[in-house]
């Protein structure tokens, strides 16, 4: 299944502030390595037959590279981000402008904190939405009303996995993968009650950001250090594309963080 995704070049990507447990201004990004890793991701999507759109990077907004936080797009409707961290709040206007220039007209600007696909993952006709680290639980009702979809709320339990997309992967229409320790017992139960097949990742694969992945059901792109998940997906007959994400993980990001799906 071909997808259309939005990426942003890491021209200005750096660690200029610390807003999650991974970020450390003393552990700076190697710009040339980050560029190579991003170009590799961009190229893989193209070879998989996905259409890749680009938004221009903006100086002073280093985290715009993580386009997944730039919105949630379903059937041409866009829920824009309401960023919790003041450092990231200016990004919203740039994402909105990009969508408007391409003819999108239906927008939700949530009253409550919401960080786009970072915390909202679409599985079939359901939206899994994470909280509380970067998105507020009351935003879930806003999303349900705006998109007319069922929302399943998932409480996250480990601050290192501060966005839902860092600890849960939509693999295909029957399967998701997750790291159980990132969720409360109630959240895990909600997933198991909803999804037929749940792959549980090891601690090692979770910490390698192996769950921050992009899949179309046949192809999956993920961290090259998530050896257990790579093997699992290969055994399922998927075409697996492992790539290095070391520079982006310094900022708490990976494959999925760098990718916004345009439905």
């Amino acid at each position: 299944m071909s997808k259309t995704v939005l990426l942003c070049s890491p021209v200005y990507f750096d660690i200029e502030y610390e807003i999650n447990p991974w970020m450390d201004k003393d552990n700076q990004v190697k710009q040339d390595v980050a560029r190579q890793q991003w170009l590799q991701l961009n190229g893989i999507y193209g070879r998989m037959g996905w259409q890749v759109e680009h938004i221009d990077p903006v100086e002073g907004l280093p985290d715009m590279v993580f386009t997944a936080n730039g919105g949630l797009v379903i059937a041409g409707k866009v829920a824009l981000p309401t960023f919790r961290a003041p450092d990231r709040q200016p990004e919203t206007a740039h994402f909105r402008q990009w969508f408007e220039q391409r003819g999108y007209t239906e927008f939700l600007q949530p009253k409550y904190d919401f960080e786009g696909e970072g915390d909202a993952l679409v599985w079939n006709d359901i939206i899994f939405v994470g909280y509380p680290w970067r998105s507020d639980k009351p935003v879930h009702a806003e999303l349900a009303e705006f998109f007319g979809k069922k929302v399943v709320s998932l409480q996250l339990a480990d601050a290192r996995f501060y966005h839902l997309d860092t600890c849960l992967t939509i693999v295909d229409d029957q399967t998701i993968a997750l790291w159980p320790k990132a969720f409360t017992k109630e959240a895990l139960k909600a997933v198991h009650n909803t999804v037929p097949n749940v792959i549980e990742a090891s601690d090692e694969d979770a910490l390698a950001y192996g769950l921050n992945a992009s899949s179309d059901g046949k192809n999956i792109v993920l961290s090259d250090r998530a050896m257990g998940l790579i093997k699992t997906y290969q055994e399922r007959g998927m075409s697996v594309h492992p790539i290095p994400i070391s520079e982006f993980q310094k900022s708490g990001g990976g494959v999925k963080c760098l990718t916004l799906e345009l439905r």
Side-chain angles (χ1 to χ4, degrees), residues 6 18 21-22 32 36 40-41 65 81 83 99 111 116 118 142-143 152 158-159 163 212 215 221 258:
L6 179 64
E18 297 172 5
W22 301 91
D32 55 336
Q36 286 305 312
Q40 192 172 341
L41 178 65
V65 71
F83 286 104
F99 284 114
K111 297 186 190 73
E142 292 185 79
L143 297 173
V152 175
D158 185 324
H163 276 147
N212 193 249
S215 173
V221 189
L258 294 164

Side-chain angles (χ1 to χ4, degrees), residues 58-253:
V58 177
E59 192 169 3
L61 297 178
D63 285 346
M64 259 188 82
V65 71
F66 299 124
T67 54
N69 306 141
L72 173 64
V73 187
I74 303 174
K77 298 170 77 171
V78 184
L80 292 164
T82 299
F83 286 104
R84 182 166 295 175
D87 309 271
R88 297 200 64 182
Q89 288 167 2
E91 293 178 35
T92 302
H94 294 284
F95 281 108
R96 181 174 186 129
Q97 182 182 38
W98 187 90
F99 284 114
E100 287 177 341
Q101 288 172 345
R102 278 147 193 85
Y104 290 80
T105 57
E106 290 187 79
F107 295 96
L108 168 69
Q109 183 64 65
K111 297 186 190 73
Y112 296 96
D113 290 346
F114 174 62
E115 302 204 352
E117 255 188 354
D119 266 332
L121 297 173
V122 178
W123 180 75
N124 297 326
D125 219 31
I126 290 169
I127 312 172
F128 287 110
V129 190
Y131 72 101
W133 304 115
R134 299 286 279 274
S135 296
D136 293 325
K137 193 175 182 185
V139 83
H140 300 189
E142 292 185 79
L143 297 173
E145 183 181 353
F146 179 65
F147 289 115
K149 303 273 186 195
K150 180 183 177 183
V151 167
V152 175
S153 300
L154 302 177
Q155 185 173 356
L156 304 175
D158 185 324
R160 294 172 300 174
F161 296 84
Y162 59 95
H163 276 147
L164 183 63
D165 72 356
T166 64
C167 51
L168 187 148
T169 306
I170 305 294
V171 179
D172 60 33
D173 62 6
Q174 297 292 308
T175 312
I176 64 112
L178 54 71
W179 186 49
K181 294 178 187 175
F183 298 88
T184 63
K185 286 179 183 173
E186 293 78 14
L188 275 180
K189 187 177 176 186
V191 173
H192 281 280
N193 286 345
T194 307
V195 182
N197 304 320
V198 178
I199 297 166
E200 296 196 347
S202 67
D203 296 0
E204 292 78 11
D205 282 6
L207 290 165
Y209 255 42
L211 291 158
N212 193 249
S214 288
S215 173
D216 60 12
K218 291 187 168 57
N219 300 278
I220 190 160
V221 189
L222 73 162
S223 165
D224 63 355
R225 291 179 296 114
M227 303 309 296
L229 284 170
I230 290 168
K231 186 165 181 275
T232 296
Y233 297 138
Q234 287 171 337
E235 288 171 351
R236 291 174 63 87
M238 299 183 76
S239 180
V240 183
H241 305 271
I243 70 163
I245 54 151
S246 59
E247 299 313 298
F248 298 102
Q249 196 174 351
K250 289 177 179 177
S251 193

